[in-house]
Amino acid sequence: MKLLAALLLAAATLGLATNAGAATPRENWDQHCAKCHGADGAGTTRLGTLLKVRDLTKAEVQAAFTDAAARTAIEDGVKDSTGRFTMNPYGAKLSPEERAALVAFVRALKK
Ligand code: HEC
């Protein structure tokens, strides 16, 4: 009986952990964002330097955009003055919940 309860609990926990196959914000950040913004958000990667990404660990950079602007950037991407994407849109790749979680994740990058 105890074993059955333990098995049921394990199954329930597993079910929660893999809920709808959504990745954690850290997994999404590492997979989709870190190549430009860096694992820590400082943006000192080769691509980040090339594209002149701002340092998301800095309070003044964080203060320069709203949560809504961050959501829009993640959903629709960012273009330079010639209309070329410098940051790809993730509206199709990530669910609304994943994008919202990434905004909170970005905020937490501030040192
Ligand atoms: C190909 C490089 C690249 C990738 C990949 C990338 N970004 Fe960006 N991101 C940029 C550039 C370039 C900007 C504009 C300059 C800046 O604000 O630093 C930017 C801007 C931002 C901003 C500021 C938006 C604003 O309104 O000022 C946020 C927030 C952001 N990115 C989050 C993310 C997240 C989250 C991901 C992953 C889902 C991601 N970025 C992936 C290049 C990238």
Side-chain angles (χ1 to χ4, degrees):
M1 228 23 208
K2 259 192 179 156
L3 179 66
L4 182 64
L7 277 175
L8 282 174
L9 187 69
T13 312
L14 253 174
L16 270 183
T18 57
N19 183 23
T24 66
R26 169 50 81 183
E27 284 166 351
N28 278 329
W29 179 265
D30 287 346
Q31 190 185 342
H32 300 293
C33 324
K35 57 179 177 277
C36 291
H37 292 286
D40 61 352
T44 51
T45 62
R46 199 179 60 85
L47 260 177
T49 307
L50 199 73
L51 295 168
K52 299 186 173 62
V53 297
R54 292 171 295 168
D55 183 347
L56 292 169
T57 68
K58 289 217 167 107
E60 62 266 33
V61 172
Q62 289 276 347
F65 60 85
T66 60
D67 284 3
R71 285 196 73 142
T72 303
I74 295 167
E75 189 172 343
D76 301 335
V78 177
K79 289 177 179 173
D80 66 13
S81 56
T82 69
R84 196 179 55 107
F85 276 113
T86 51
M87 172 172 155
N88 295 322
Y90 292 90
K93 274 191 191 146
L94 304 173
S95 70
E97 292 77 20
E98 286 177 300
R99 300 198 301 271
L102 273 173
V103 173
F105 183 90
V106 163
R107 289 306 189 195
L109 293 168
K110 187 171 99 174
K111 281 198 175 136

